[in-house]
Amino acid sequence: MESDRLFEPLRNAALSAGRLRTAVAYPLCPTSLGAAVQARDAGYIEPVLVGPADRLRALMSDLGLGPSELEVIDTPDDEVLAARASAALARDGAVRMLMKGSLHTDHFMSAVVARDAGLRTDRRVSHAFVMAVAAYPKLFILTDAAVNIAPTLQEKADIAQNAIDLARALGVERPKIAVLCATESVNPSMPATLDAAALSKMADRRQIRGGDIDGPLAFDNAISREAADQKGIVSKVAGEADILLVPDIEAGNMLYKELTWLAGAGTAGLVLGTRVPVLLTSRSDSMQARVNSCAVASLYARALAG
């Protein structure tokens, strides 16, 4: 699709890193295993399949793969145990990335964020969608539409910092973050606008580093310079946002699905705030979105490694 062409530079850049060993937790459906194989064939990952070996090899055979074509880590036929084994591989440095297979998201993420898993950092874990829409001239990040339900101000600061670090890993030297609200005016009756104003000042005080933050901004002000000019908004960010930070998961999830299903957005998704990139794919994700996610994760893994 036309919007997906914006991902081409990232996909090409990721190829130079070579295939990164990636634990794929419980990929026991054709879609999840097929996505891992396609990402391998495209040059982004070297899948390590984690789950019951007999079932995995039977599925590999169904997809035309030889029994030894992919590395398999045998576990009992249990989603929770497969997720924990995958997290342990990342903790021990045996893999550089984690990828969700066909298991339940709660089982997968519980293993990743468990205190004894060794994968958490000092920051709040968050999720970011990298998105491409034909009507916007560059990729942008939407966060958080998948993990944090109703983040506090400090949690939003972590979400912003995570997204800034991802944007920089993708080649944006100084990302511009628009903190989205229903209005561009601070209104004490709308707590999200107070958080937005505080985040802007936190960036001024270098409590959030590496990017320019402005808010509150309504969606039109954030992505349209014309809309911002009509309302007299003077801002480094308005009309040129690289990151859209939403007030809560409901706003983010609806915006993500509207852009995907109505505007035909190209997408990639990644969990941030962990010691390795975590690919949290959805059953409704297209194969191209899964491959885009692997390319983005590869570039982010390189940045985390320094």
Side-chain angles (χ1 to χ4, degrees):
M1 67 179 66
E2 177 65 18
S3 60
D4 199 64
R5 64 179 173 78
L6 292 172
F7 278 98
E8 288 181 9
L10 297 187
R11 289 194 293 259
N12 292 335
L15 289 174
S16 65
R19 293 185 178 92
L20 300 186
R21 281 173 57 82
T22 302
V24 187
Y26 208 77
L28 284 168
C29 73
T31 300
S32 59
L33 182 55
V37 172
Q38 186 168 348
R40 179 203 64 171
D41 293 346
Y44 301 121
I45 71 171
E46 190 60 52
V48 178
L49 310 183
V50 183
D54 289 346
R55 289 187 62 193
L56 285 170
R57 292 199 171 100
L59 182 56
M60 288 167 60
S61 178
D62 290 344
L63 296 180
L65 301 170
S68 60
E69 189 169 339
L70 298 174
E71 183 177 350
V72 174
I73 303 295
D74 188 24
T75 71
D77 194 354
D78 182 285
E79 292 186 3
V80 173
L81 295 179
R84 290 175 180 171
S86 299
L89 290 172
R91 178 198 64 209
D92 297 341
V95 296
R96 297 276 301 277
M97 303 194 296
L98 290 174
M99 185 176 186
K100 175 179 170 286
S102 56
L103 73 170
H104 196 282
T105 297
D106 287 349
H107 293 160
F108 180 65
M109 286 305 300
S110 292
V112 170
V113 303
R115 290 293 177 184
D116 59 355
L119 296 179
R120 299 191 68 159
T121 68
D122 292 337
R123 284 193 216 146
R124 181 78 175 181
V125 172
S126 62
H127 185 275
F129 283 112
V130 182
M131 308 197 73
V133 179
Y136 200 59
K138 58 183 177 179
L139 292 172
F140 62 92
I141 293 170
L142 176 65
T143 190
D144 181 341
V147 171
N148 290 283
I149 296 173
T152 64
L153 173 60
Q154 184 54 57
E155 288 166 353
K156 288 178 181 178
D158 284 348
I159 292 168
Q161 190 67 67
N162 287 342
I164 289 170
D165 291 350
L166 174 60
R168 289 170 61 87
L170 301 183
V172 182
E173 184 174 348
R174 188 167 182 83
K176 299 176 180 180
I177 305 96
V179 187
L180 296 185
C181 296
T183 176
E184 64 280 352
S185 299
V186 176
N187 183 340
S189 298
M190 302 174 72
T193 67
L194 302 179
D195 284 355
L199 290 167
S200 300
K201 185 53 65 177
M202 290 171 77
D204 291 344
R205 296 288 189 267
R206 296 177 60 79
Q207 292 172 265
I208 305 170
R209 296 172 178 264
D212 296 313
I213 301 181
D214 197 7
L217 289 173
F219 181 78
D220 56 345
N221 313 142
I223 54 91
S224 169
R225 171 53 64 183
E226 180 182 0
D229 288 345
Q230 287 174 351
K231 293 197 174 182
I233 297 173
V234 178
S235 168
K236 293 180 180 179
V237 174
E240 300 179 11
D242 298 296
I243 299 168
L244 303 177
L245 195 156
V246 298
D248 56 38
I249 197 170
E250 293 180 87
N253 189 268
M254 285 185 276
L255 183 54
Y256 163 70
K257 289 179 178 174
E258 287 160 3
L259 290 170
T260 302
W261 292 97
L262 288 178
T267 65
L270 197 61
V271 172
L272 310 172
T274 49
R275 298 194 182 281
V276 300
V278 177
L279 293 134
L280 188 64
T281 53
S282 168
R283 286 170 294 183
S284 62
D285 286 344
S286 68
M287 195 67 76
Q288 188 60 66
R290 293 169 187 264
V291 172
N292 286 343
S293 296
C294 290
V296 167
S298 177
L299 293 172
Y300 187 56
R302 188 189 309 178
L304 289 177

